[in-house]
Amino acid sequence: GENVEQHPSTLSVQEGDSAVIKCTYSDSASNYFPWYKQELGKGPQLIIDIRSNVGEKKDQRIAVTLNKTAKHFSLHITETQPEDSAVYFCAASPIIQGAQKLVFGQGTRLTINP
Amino acid sequence: SQTIHQWPATLVQPVGSPLSLECTVEGTSNPNLYWYRQAAGRGLQLLFYSVGIGQISSEVPQNLSASRPQDRQFILSSKKLLLSDSGFYLCAWSEGTSGSWDEQFFGPGTRLTVL
C-alpha cells in the first residue's frame, strides 16, 4: 500500500521568511495530493491540493509542487505570518471508484517567530 | 452550506468499558464518510470508510467497529476499550461522486483518553 514520508517534523522560521515542507510517496497510482493545516485541538483543514496532471499550483502565499517521476511533492509558504503557525500534513491518494483513501504523512509543526 | 458535527468533544473512559462516538453531516446527501485516529504527535490513520448506508469498509484490524445507520450519520464503537485506543478521533466527509478528487472535510474531533 501507499506510504507517505514527511520532512521535517518541526520547522521554525522568522516571520516574513519562507517555509518549505517536503513529502515523498511510494505508490505510483496515487494522483491526488492535498495539504492540510491543523491548529491545536481542531480538525485538519485543506489549504491546497494538486492533481497528478499538474506540476505546480499556487494560491496567494501558498504553493505546491509535484514531481511524479521522483514521487515527491512540496508545500511552499512565502512571507510567513504568525497565524501560519500550526501542524501541516501532506497526504496522497489514488483515485478509485467510491471513497478516497488518503494516506497522511507524519506532520510538520511549523512555528513562525515574530 | 455543509457542516459536520462530532460528539462528545472529550471523553475519559476506563479500560474495558464500551465506546460510542457519533458523527453527523448536514447540508449534503449520500456523502462518503470516514473515521480517522490521530495518536499524539502523529499523522492521521484511516480506520473506516463508508460509501452508503450499511456499507462499511475497515482499513485496520482492531478493537473498533463502525456503523452507518442513516445517510448522514456515522458511529464509531467498541465493546471493550484498550489503553491503546486513546487518541484524537476525527470524522470526515466528502462528496459521494465516484472517481472524483473531492476534498475531505474534517469534523472538530473527539479526544478519547482510556485509563
Side-chain angles (χ1 to χ4, degrees):
Chain A
E2 176 65 275
N3 182 52
V4 177
E5 297 287 334
Q6 183 173 345
H7 300 280
S9 57
T10 60
L11 180 60
S12 183
V13 301
Q14 288 297 120
E15 183 178 353
D17 289 350
S18 296
V20 180
I21 302 171
K22 299 181 178 181
C23 290
T24 60
Y25 62 99
S26 61
D27 189 350
S28 58
S30 287
N31 49 13
Y32 173 62
F33 307 93
W35 285 88
Y36 283 84
K37 175 183 180 182
Q38 185 177 29
E39 297 179 344
L40 189 64
K42 297 183 178 180
Q45 284 193 308
L46 182 76
I47 54 172
I48 195 167
D49 58 15
I50 191 166
R51 278 62 160 153
S52 61
N53 57 346
V54 176
E56 184 174 359
K57 183 178 178 180
K58 189 173 182 180
D59 182 5
Q60 299 182 353
R61 297 186 296 109
I62 296 173
V64 57
T65 59
L66 171 65
N67 183 327
K68 285 220 71 178
T69 303
K71 295 199 187 77
H72 66 71
F73 55 113
S74 301
L75 177 71
H76 305 253
I77 306 174
T78 59
E79 302 173 16
T80 53
Q81 301 168 3
E83 53 265 36
D84 295 329
S85 295
V87 179
Y88 291 80
F89 292 96
C90 63
S93 170
I95 302 303
I96 56 174
Q97 291 290 353
Q100 175 194 74
K101 296 195 288 185
L102 291 175
V103 177
F104 283 82
Q106 300 91 328
T108 297
R109 182 173 299 279
L110 175 62
T111 302
I112 308 301
N113 301 309
Chain B
S1 64
Q2 301 90 356
T3 55
I4 179 170
H5 305 278
Q6 283 188 248
W7 65 90
T10 60
L11 190 60
V12 179
Q13 292 286 92
V15 169
S17 64
L19 173 73
S20 181
L21 303 182
E22 189 164 344
C23 170
T24 58
V25 181
E26 296 176 354
T28 186
S29 59
N30 196 31
N32 293 329
L33 297 172
Y34 310 82
W35 276 113
Y36 290 87
R37 176 169 57 202
Q38 185 176 27
R42 303 291 297 276
L44 285 74
Q45 181 185 37
L46 179 63
L47 302 176
F48 302 94
Y49 67 91
S50 170
V51 299
I53 296 174
Q55 300 179 61
I56 308 295
S57 296
S58 174
E59 286 296 294
V60 180
Q62 59 209 315
N63 185 42
L64 302 169
S65 62
S67 61
R68 184 170 176 173
Q70 299 181 47
D71 181 43
R72 288 167 289 178
Q73 184 185 30
F74 206 22
I75 296 173
L76 185 69
S77 304
S78 174
K79 292 182 179 178
K80 288 186 178 181
L81 284 169
L82 306 173
L83 287 173
S84 57
D85 291 324
S86 293
F88 192 44
Y89 288 83
L90 290 154
C91 180
W93 74 274
S94 66
E95 294 289 352
T97 50
S98 60
S100 66
W101 292 314
D102 293 311
E103 174 181 355
Q104 286 189 24
F105 298 89
F106 284 84
T110 294
R111 185 161 302 282
L112 172 65
T113 303
V114 183
L115 301 175

